[in-house]
Amino acid sequence: MYVCSCFGITEAQVKKHADAGACTPRQIASACKAGTDCGGCVRRIQALLGRDCSRRDLVGQQREPVAAAAVGQPMAMPVAAAPDVRLPDAA
């Protein structure tokens, strides 16, 4: 069954990335782009990950980020937020 129709990502692919260490939707997105277009699949990804990586199990553990090479996909680079710029009112 497809989880992300934008990129054609299946439940099996999400579970494969989770088995490789991805425990958040952001890590899944870095691995296969799922959730990065329309965002409609993010809740489904969260539900799938919730079964594999509960927050309680991660308390006190250091988890390494998922390496893109481990799943054969390029990693996305994070985008810095734009500074809050206010223009003076026109006189």
Side-chain angles (χ1 to χ4, degrees):
M1 174 178 206
Y2 283 101
V3 173
C4 176
S5 57
C6 295
F7 293 104
I9 306 300
T10 64
E11 273 187 29
Q13 289 171 298
V14 171
K15 289 177 183 178
K16 176 182 166 188
H17 294 301
D19 290 342
C23 285
T24 65
R26 183 169 286 179
Q27 289 175 335
I28 293 293
S30 292
C32 65
K33 294 186 181 180
T36 61
D37 194 26
C38 77
C41 60
V42 173
R43 288 187 189 259
R44 179 70 179 137
I45 292 168
Q46 288 173 326
L48 289 169
L49 293 175
R51 294 186 194 121
D52 295 330
C53 299
S54 70
R55 187 170 183 86
R56 184 188 63 211
D57 293 338
L58 297 177
V59 173
Q61 293 180 2
Q62 288 276 343
R63 294 207 53 126
E64 302 245 348
V66 176
V71 290
Q73 297 289 332
M75 284 187 78
M77 296 300 293
V79 177
D84 185 23
V85 177
R86 298 186 188 268
L87 299 174
D89 292 331

